[in-house]
Amino acid sequence: MDAQLPDVEAGKRFYGALFDWTFEEQPEQPEWPAPASRPAGSVRPSPPLGTVRALLDGEPVASLAHKTDGRLPTVWTVSFATPDAEALCRRIRAAGGQLVSAPRAVGGLGVTALVTDPEGAVFSLWQPGERPGFGRRHEPGAFTWAELYTRDTEAANTFYGGLFHDALFGEGVEPDFGRAPVSDVFPAEMPPHFLVHFAVEDLEAAMADVTRLGGRVQVPPFTTSYGAVAVVTDDQGASFALLAR
């Protein structure tokens, strides 16, 4: 997963203090794709400057990228692994989703693409090369869950169940991806979207740290089937969730 931020240095200070992350420059920088509203064939912005990889105890957990176009959202984006990004993009389009940015190689690290589901929720694809994905997860300071907030849960079940059936419903799997009606947590007018969750040991303490560092609590703690959650934003407005189990 990666965050597109106006100020990567500020992002390093915020997340470094919040999650004890360290950072290293990315050897290759993927081009941040044009918004879905930009006409096909138009010129994309230049590759982001200042892209860094976030590390927890030396293992990769996320990336922070400089947002070069002020019209782009300040967001966290989750990537789904696939052995064949081109083939999965074709299936996504056939199922009613949209292709925002066609698959492209990021040096030898892997292949990335940006897509949406039929309701417009944005997510990324990652076909691993030299970089398989998370080095750590399901522990404090690392990714632990992705929740899709959608207006049509049955349509989401059909779409994502068709794309990732074995990962979601295969024998013995333990998915770290769920979905809920957007109105459960956010106002009904909120667009469908993914919310990435970071594991924390103490939810109240983590919320206090977010506020101390210049962020804010967007949605106070609530209980879910997968743990206690609070939705927060960083000091640049990117939303994410804290999850204590």
Side-chain angles (χ1 to χ4, degrees), residues 114-131:
L114 196 71
V115 297
T116 78
D117 69 15
E119 286 201 326
V122 176
F123 60 101
S124 181
L125 306 178
W126 182 252
Q127 178 182 324
E130 298 170 4
R131 184 169 300 167

Side-chain angles (χ1 to χ4, degrees), residues 6-30:
D7 187 338
V8 170
E9 289 302 314
K12 289 164 64 176
R13 291 191 294 271
F14 180 91
Y15 291 102
L18 182 62
F19 294 134
D20 291 327
W21 289 353
T22 57
F23 301 91
E24 66 179 17
E25 296 295 323
Q26 295 274 33
E28 297 285 347
Q29 298 174 347

Side-chain angles (χ1 to χ4, degrees), residues 60-157:
V61 290
S63 292
L64 308 181
H66 177 61
K67 185 176 71 170
T68 57
D69 187 334
R71 295 169 296 179
L72 296 174
T74 300
V75 293
W76 277 97
T77 302
V78 63
S79 294
F80 290 85
T82 174
D84 189 334
E86 291 274 3
L88 188 54
C89 282
R90 290 193 293 269
R91 292 174 59 202
I92 286 168
R93 295 182 70 179
Q98 299 292 323
L99 181 62
V100 179
S101 178
R104 66 178 297 274
V106 185
L109 303 180
V111 175
T112 184
L114 196 71
V115 297
T116 78
D117 69 15
E119 286 201 326
V122 176
F123 60 101
S124 181
L125 306 178
W126 182 252
Q127 178 182 324
E130 298 170 4
R131 184 169 300 167
F134 294 124
R136 304 178 80 124
R137 59 178 177 170
H138 302 309
E139 60 182 280
F143 169 86
T144 191
W145 189 264
E147 187 78 353
L148 169 68
Y149 285 96
T150 180
R151 293 195 179 95
D152 189 337
T153 55
E154 290 305 315
N157 290 350

Side-chain angles (χ1 to χ4, degrees), residues 3-7 10-11 14-15 67 72-76 186 190 193 195 210 213-218 231-241:
Q4 292 80 41
L5 304 172
D7 187 338
F14 180 91
Y15 291 102
K67 185 176 71 170
L72 296 174
T74 300
V75 293
W76 277 97
F186 299 99
M190 173 75 77
H193 64 284
L195 184 67
V210 166
L213 294 166
R216 67 182 181 90
V217 176
Q218 188 175 6
V231 183
V232 299
T233 69
D234 65 19
D235 56 346
Q236 299 183 68
S239 295
F240 60 97

